[in-house]
Amino acid sequence: MKPLKIGITGVRGLVGETFTPEVAVGFSQSFGTYLDGGRVLVCRDTRASGPMVRAAVIAGLLAAGCEVIDLGVSPTPSLQLAVTWLKAEGGIAITAGHNPSQWNALKFVRSDGLYLNPTQAEELLDIFHQGEFAKATWDRIKPAIQHQDAIEHHIELLKSVFEVEAIKNRRLKVAVDCCNGACSRLIPLWLREIGCEVLAINDNPGAPFPHAPEPKPETMAQLSAVVKAGNADIGFAHDADGERLGIVTEFGQPLSEELTLALATRIRLEHNSGTVVTNVSTTSAIEKIAAIYGGTVVRTPVGQTYIAESMIEHQAVLGGEGSGGVTVPELHSTHDSAAAVGLILEGLARSGRHVSQFVQDLPQLTMLKYNLAVEPNRLYSVLQNFRVAIEREHLSCDLTDGIRVLLPQGWIHVRASNTESMIRVIVEAEEMADAHKLLEWVRDRLNK
């Protein structure tokens, strides 16, 4: 199984197998053609393949007649904010986010700093598959690549959104694990700007990932140890490109990635009730929290672009996903782990409480996740067979994204991954035993 995943999240694959310089050049030429030239920003995370892919991407953009501004190693949200600042037509983030080191990807950003929506992504794919690209003649290729640093601009915007003085007055000690990713250049600076004492680990962008760059409990052991040893007030874990956030309490307890959005929702709605947008895979704790504060919840398919467009439509006060992505609309309609840090620290500063006290107030639910690796050409037949099994039992299902079924004990959700060749299964119930029963229920029917 050597997949090249092409879809709404861009294009990603295993470097040297399916994700090659030819693929990167072709998609970059396609994007330059789609934008009809103009200024395009480029950034990357810290993977070993980053410089190679950057060279291919810049070659493709220049060949299509684009002007290129290279932001270097930079979080994806920093690029998304810089698109409007630098008056660009769009941007390409070279990052596979939470995927392991052997992966890389291109994420395509439009002129408002948001990812392409499904229609726009289809248009880009059509150009790629047709292979008819804009070709700049020798005298129209832009002669120089400009360089800019988007980090300082990102921090200035963050400071304008959150109550910096309140956070400074709380004098918080914060541990942070940047996974040697792009956040190594942003998060420690941002924390020091708002008066925190910073205990940073894995903040060397020149070093390899020390663990999988997905902020979840099993990757936060080192951060937990630092929180406890340093008596920190909270710990934050980041993915490779600054979209996902994991949290460790002051007692060194790593929280499920599902609780990042739940905690952010609790803090936001207490002071600013309104609509929260999340996807159909995310914990139902969001509805329970919203009910307490008079908020409402809108559910979308999985994917940042759906969250972003729904937030704009519903004028939401918060958005995010159970993966640890949080969107603070005053900053931008995109997942940004630096903004999630600001929101959570602002909540601690306003309340004078500890993070563990907030967590105790959250609904206590059990969520289990299971991934079933499937050959790319079988993904949708496996899903279809599962749907047939569900309908045979006369159960109604929500087909917003994959198959979601509400049962007396809780709910189950089965869908094809946007980023890897696998079926993702999520179940949630109030009791642990019920969650395990639901998972077995799904696995029985998937294997039929």
Side-chain angles (χ1 to χ4, degrees):
M1 287 169 57
K2 296 179 180 176
L4 181 70
K5 293 290 289 185
I6 300 173
I8 192 168
T9 53
V11 54
R12 68 180 64 212
L14 293 165
V15 175
E17 295 182 11
T18 54
F19 193 85
T20 62
E22 292 86 352
V23 167
V25 170
F27 268 99
S28 302
Q29 278 188 279
S30 303
F31 191 57
T33 304
Y34 173 74
L35 295 179
D36 196 21
R39 177 177 290 177
V40 182
L41 309 186
V42 175
C43 77
R44 66 179 178 90
D45 69 17
T46 56
R47 292 160 205 272
S49 60
M52 176 273 285
V53 181
R54 169 194 172 275
V57 164
I58 289 175
L61 290 172
L62 291 175
C66 296
E67 173 193 359
V68 176
I69 298 183
D70 183 8
L71 305 181
V73 171
S74 176
T76 301
S78 303
L79 175 142
Q80 291 175 285
L81 289 164
V83 165
T84 49
W85 167 49
L86 295 172
K87 299 181 174 59
E89 298 301 318
I92 299 178
I94 303 165
T95 173
H98 66 285
N99 287 139
S101 304
Q102 62 266 37
W103 289 76
N104 215 329
L106 307 181
K107 298 179 179 179
F108 301 102
V109 175
R110 62 197 199 194
S111 60
D112 60 359
L114 301 180
Y115 289 127
L116 302 185
N117 66 29
T119 303
Q120 293 162 336
E122 283 297 327
E123 290 172 6
L124 177 63
L125 282 179
D126 285 345
I127 294 170
F128 176 77
H129 290 306
Q130 287 165 9
E132 293 295 325
F133 309 136
K135 296 180 179 70
T137 55
W138 67 271
D139 56 337
R140 300 225 173 242
I141 293 174
K142 304 298 179 188
I145 300 164
Q146 298 182 50
H147 296 268
Q148 281 276 4
D149 192 337
I151 302 294
E152 189 176 328
H153 174 252
H154 194 164
I155 290 174
E156 288 305 309
L157 291 176
L158 286 162
K159 284 162 64 178
S160 71
V161 167
F162 299 105
E163 294 181 16
V164 172
E165 288 308 312
I167 299 171
K168 284 182 176 177
N169 291 338
R170 180 77 194 267
R171 302 174 68 86
L172 293 159
K173 185 186 285 191
V174 180
V176 59
D177 180 354
C178 299
C179 197
N180 294 332
C183 280
S184 302
R185 298 193 58 240
L186 169 66
I187 298 299
L189 281 175
W190 165 224
L191 289 169
R192 290 186 186 106
E193 281 278 344
I194 52 180
C196 298
E197 181 182 345
V198 183
L199 307 176
I201 57 170
N202 303 320
D203 60 339
N204 177 4
F209 298 153
H211 51 72
E214 188 169 7
K216 44 206 279 190
E218 47 268 44
T219 63
M220 292 195 279
Q222 195 180 358
L223 180 62
S224 297
V226 171
V227 168
K228 287 192 279 191
N231 292 314
D233 294 291
I234 194 168
F236 292 119
H238 297 266
D239 66 357
D241 77 324
E243 291 187 340
R244 299 184 177 195
L245 184 72
I247 298 169
V248 171
T249 73
E250 74 275 17
F251 298 122
Q253 176 198 2
L255 302 181
S256 162
E257 63 274 23
E258 289 288 333
L259 291 183
T260 300
L261 180 60
L263 178 62
T265 300
R266 160 76 177 76
I267 287 169
R268 171 47 62 102
L269 292 186
E270 185 174 25
H271 287 271
N272 188 10
S273 187
T275 299
V276 177
V277 175
T278 188
N279 66 36
V280 290
S281 279
T282 299
T283 175
S284 55
I286 306 303
E287 276 87 358
K288 294 178 186 293
I289 296 164
I292 295 168
Y293 296 101
T296 56
V297 178
V298 172
R299 296 269 178 174
T300 72
V302 175
Q304 266 203 64
T305 186
Y306 297 111
I307 301 280
E309 296 206 331
S310 185
M311 285 184 71
I312 294 165
E313 179 187 349
H314 296 280
Q315 299 181 312
V317 298
L318 193 73
E321 302 185 284
S323 59
V326 175
T327 297
V328 179
E330 293 88 340
L331 184 72
H332 204 194
S333 296
T334 190
H335 293 357
D336 184 343
S337 62
V341 165
L343 178 66
I344 290 163
L345 294 184
E346 185 180 75
L348 296 183
R350 278 174 171 168
S351 66
R353 302 173 80 201
H354 296 292
V355 64
S356 62
Q357 293 171 305
F358 276 111
V359 173
Q360 283 173 355
D361 291 345
L362 298 177
Q364 302 300 307
L365 301 167
T366 296
M367 177 177 278
L368 300 175
K369 299 182 180 182
Y370 169 72
N371 292 330
L372 177 66
V374 176
E375 295 86 354
N377 60 335
R378 291 189 58 242
L379 274 172
Y380 292 97
S381 62
V382 171
L383 273 181
Q384 182 59 26
N385 291 342
F386 179 73
R387 181 179 171 184
V388 168
I390 294 298
E391 289 174 348
R392 267 200 219 105
E393 298 180 46
H394 305 292
L395 295 169
S396 59
C397 52
D398 178 349
L399 302 177
T400 300
D401 185 346
I403 301 154
R404 193 177 193 270
V405 182
L406 190 63
L407 295 163
Q409 308 96 309
W411 58 268
I412 64 107
H413 186 219
V414 179
R415 57 179 282 275
S417 168
N418 284 341
T419 56
E420 295 168 79
S421 187
M422 59 178 57
I423 300 285
R424 297 197 188 278
V425 177
I426 298 180
V427 303
E428 187 176 61
E430 295 202 357
E431 302 297 330
M432 174 76 78
D434 285 337
H436 281 286
K437 285 176 189 170
L438 286 174
L439 186 55
E440 287 308 310
W441 186 89
V442 176
R443 288 168 71 168
D444 285 347
R445 285 154 183 78
L446 272 177
N447 292 328
K448 278 184 179 174

